[in-house]
Amino acid sequence: MGDLLQTLSAENVVGSTSIGQELDLESLADDLDGASFEPDQFPGVITRTTDPKAASLIFRSGKIVCTGASSVDDLMTAVGLTFEKLRRLGLDVPEEPDVTVQNIVTSGDLGTSLNLNAIAIGLGLEAVEYEPEQFPGLVYRSDELDVVVLLFGSGKLVITGGSKPTDAEDAITTIHARLDDLGLLN
């Protein structure tokens, strides 16, 4: 089972926070080095950090969504760096960002090819979306998991909707056990 967990890799960690005040996005974009603001394309200012690599989307309401981090620690660091940039502009920003992890997207590998048609039937059609002519993966939503799992014929999977790293660990362990019980792991 440990080998299974070793295949897990966080691909994108998304979190949100707020600085608790309305912002003038036009002047913020002008003052913030490297920021972009294209209101016709997107209603927020986009600013990036390079170490860790992430993008913060800053909205008029003062809400900030940070995306692209590869761990919860990197998310917290990237938000802290964004708060620091705003503080340097003279904005009254909380000392410690209150960040809520919204979504962790994790990839993994069951290590064997999968018969998705058999899995769709085995896992129960009420919990599965599988339309191979629309999308090559099987979408599995189980009441026992807090996440959505995309399974691919290669044995690779994507776990999305988690709010803590253990959500992906629980998901891959549960999926492996269910498929093993059903005799669907080659």
Side-chain angles (χ1 to χ4, degrees), residues 21-33:
Q21 61 186 288
E22 294 253 327
L23 295 168
D24 176 347
L25 295 184
E26 291 80 3
S27 64
L28 181 63
D30 288 343
D31 296 343
L32 207 52
D33 277 347

Side-chain angles (χ1 to χ4, degrees), residues 10-15 52-55 66-71 74-75:
E11 303 296 336
N12 185 15
V13 180
V14 180
K53 192 171 173 18
C66 184
T67 183
S70 56
S71 69
D74 283 358
L75 170 73

Side-chain angles (χ1 to χ4, degrees), residues 56-74:
S56 288
L57 318 172
I58 305 171
F59 298 94
R60 196 169 301 284
S61 64
K63 184 169 179 174
I64 299 172
V65 175
C66 184
T67 183
S70 56
S71 69
V72 173
D73 285 348
D74 283 358

Side-chain angles (χ1 to χ4, degrees), residues 6-169:
Q6 296 300 316
T7 72
L8 293 175
S9 171
E11 303 296 336
N12 185 15
V13 180
V14 180
S16 64
T17 187
S18 177
I19 59 167
Q21 61 186 288
E22 294 253 327
L23 295 168
D24 176 347
L25 295 184
E26 291 80 3
S27 64
L28 181 63
D30 288 343
D31 296 343
L32 207 52
D33 277 347
S36 64
F37 183 48
E38 305 285 339
D40 300 343
Q41 311 279 313
F42 184 74
V45 169
I46 302 170
T47 182
R48 298 178 191 284
T49 56
T50 52
D51 187 22
K53 192 171 173 18
S56 288
L57 318 172
I58 305 171
F59 298 94
R60 196 169 301 284
S61 64
K63 184 169 179 174
I64 299 172
V65 175
C66 184
T67 183
S70 56
S71 69
V72 173
D73 285 348
D74 283 358
L75 170 73
M76 298 304 182
T77 301
V79 170
L81 291 169
T82 300
F83 270 47
E84 187 56 41
K85 287 181 185 179
L86 297 173
R87 212 173 280 117
R88 282 197 302 265
L89 295 179
L91 289 169
D92 182 21
V93 175
E95 201 53 48
E96 285 297 314
D98 180 17
V99 181
T100 302
V101 176
Q102 302 287 351
N103 186 16
I104 301 176
V105 179
T106 306
S107 64
D109 193 340
L110 293 171
T112 183
S113 60
L114 303 173
N115 178 337
L116 297 181
N117 288 314
I119 289 171
I121 295 162
L123 291 178
L125 296 175
E126 68 286 341
V128 165
E129 286 174 43
Y130 181 51
E131 296 182 40
E133 53 289 329
Q134 303 288 322
F135 179 70
L138 179 148
V139 181
Y140 179 54
R141 290 180 174 85
S142 163
D143 291 340
E144 63 184 304
L145 297 173
D146 295 330
V147 295
V148 175
V149 181
L150 310 177
L151 290 164
F152 297 91
S154 64
K156 296 208 182 313
L157 49 85
V158 174
I159 302 160
T160 184
S163 59
K164 52 193 183 306
T166 54
D167 291 339
E169 295 169 6

